[in-house]
Amino acid sequence: MSSSPQPQPQPQVNPWIVAVAVMFATFMEVLDTTVVNVSLPHIAGSLSVSVDEAAWALTSYLVANAIILPMTGWLANFFGRKRMLTAAVFGFTAASFLCGLAQTLPMLILCRVIQGATGGALQPLSQAVMLEAFPPRDRGKAMAFWGLGIVVAPMLGPVIGGYLTDNFSWRWVFYINLPVGLASVIMTRLFIFDPPYIRRQKSGIDYWGIGMLALGIGALQLLLDKGQEEDWFGSKFIAILAVLSGAALIAFVIRELRAQAPVVQLRVFKNGTYSAGVFLMTMLGFVLYGSLLLLPIFLQTLLGYSALDAGIAMAPRGLGSFLTMPLVGTVLGRFDPRKVLAVGLVGASWTLYSLSNLNLNAGYWDIFWPQFIQGAALALLFVPLTTATMDPIPKEEMGNATSMFNLMRNLGGGIGIASATTFLFRRSQFHSHMLGEHISALSPQTRTYLGNVQAGMVARGSDPSAAVRQSYIAAWGMVQRQAAMLAFLDTFRAMAVVFLLVLPFLLIMKRPSHRGGGGVH
């Protein structure tokens, strides 16, 4: 009489050691989404290509990352979570090394695709491991620790990237991942184990679902990344991407709802708390990534900051999150997370409104305090939102749930960046037209300004006729600068309103029960 083999008992590992292991991987992956941005001109010069061509090193990473994210839960069940996490960290680290060695743009893009694909699995896998390693009542503290990587890494990226590029080489932007990645691989092998309910699936592979998902998400990410550059639907390329993405994603949803072994389990959205939480995380990504793009451009183009100085000026946001997140993790057990979320949304909205009141004479401290308070507000948002959203999800479905949660945050970020850049451009055109209408040769103010510019140039030895031309050029430059300033203020104000508009969705969410939604504990 044969008996079925009993599962081996899991070694008891301190959950904080597990937290450190997955934190390494998460921080490394999130950092790479922004650290390359400031190095693009150097990459372009080194590889003898234009900056627009070098930008494909960013686009290729984002597209591959977005395609893999929603499949991570299925991949973990198919290959085993520990095996999948180890392979993802090792693949990301090896691809980083190869990116640093790349001598041509196609080679760099290929390595960035591998880096994006392996990196896409790191966030949801590490989040699922963290949520399972800690008992439900301690998940707030765990997510506070994990959230430091998600919130702080994008802010440190431009600073680290600028420093390494200016003082060493753009290749060190990639080499910096090697020690962190190797440490994460070793810790993953030693301290992370598959839970007993994770079984490697032997069922068939949903090739149609994978194909439609890759086409739909890939086309959507490419559309968002290149839309403003190609003038959106004025471009046939963007129109084709929109049709492909829409058709593929609709077909994907229909397929997954009917498939016996879907690659993505969409029925998790039947839970109202989870669905509301995913929507709120999408909007958080929308505003976070959009404002992360706007502020350094504002500092560099209008206030004259260098790339490195702009990165340093944004550091207070990371400082605010760093100081607040441990506190949030501690108090979550005493307060309803929905109330903490409401405070965070109002606080984040207020900081964006404060930024919308800046002017061209703004000093460092005018930037510091809104940034610092916004960092604290993001801690009040990220930690309770993750904890409340995942509370009703059974442990055996955690991998799939975290995959969709992270995908929608990234897609929200992509939509936020695209919306911010388009809105900024359109409002700049609007204000330029409106301000230009008030400049007339018959206006006493205009004549005084032009006369002062011309007199100054003539006094410095310029030809009178050249001074007249230069005065008009100076006037137009002043109009463009003021129009850009007003456009930035409009965009900050619009993002402040977005945070307030999502407040009612908190009413859909339920207070966490601390029982984990009926999963295995």
Side-chain angles (χ1 to χ4, degrees), residues 150-204:
I150 296 295
V151 177
V152 176
M155 301 163 198
L156 293 181
V159 179
I160 295 174
Y163 175 80
L164 291 174
T165 302
D166 290 342
N167 293 279
F168 299 97
S169 164
W170 64 266
R171 299 182 187 277
W172 280 96
V173 169
F174 298 106
Y175 293 151
I176 194 70
N177 290 332
L178 296 182
V180 180
L182 291 175
S184 182
V185 168
I186 293 171
M187 293 189 73
T188 299
R189 295 291 298 172
L190 291 176
F191 302 119
I192 294 178
F193 302 93
D194 284 346
Y197 49 82
I198 292 288
R199 295 285 184 268
R200 291 187 61 187
Q201 294 179 348
K202 303 298 182 183
S203 57

Side-chain angles (χ1 to χ4, degrees), residues 403-434:
S403 297
M404 297 304 300
F405 189 68
N406 285 277
L407 170 69
M408 295 310 297
R409 186 194 67 243
N410 283 12
L411 285 182
I415 296 170
I417 290 172
S419 301
T421 53
T422 301
F423 188 78
L424 181 68
F425 180 74
R426 298 288 191 266
R427 294 303 293 176
S428 183
Q429 286 182 320
F430 170 79
H431 287 300
S432 181
H433 176 72
M434 295 298 293

Side-chain angles (χ1 to χ4, degrees), residues 44-65:
S46 175
L47 302 181
S48 300
V49 296
S50 68
V51 174
D52 285 343
E53 290 173 322
W56 281 100
L58 299 178
T59 303
S60 57
Y61 178 92
L62 294 173
V63 170
N65 194 278

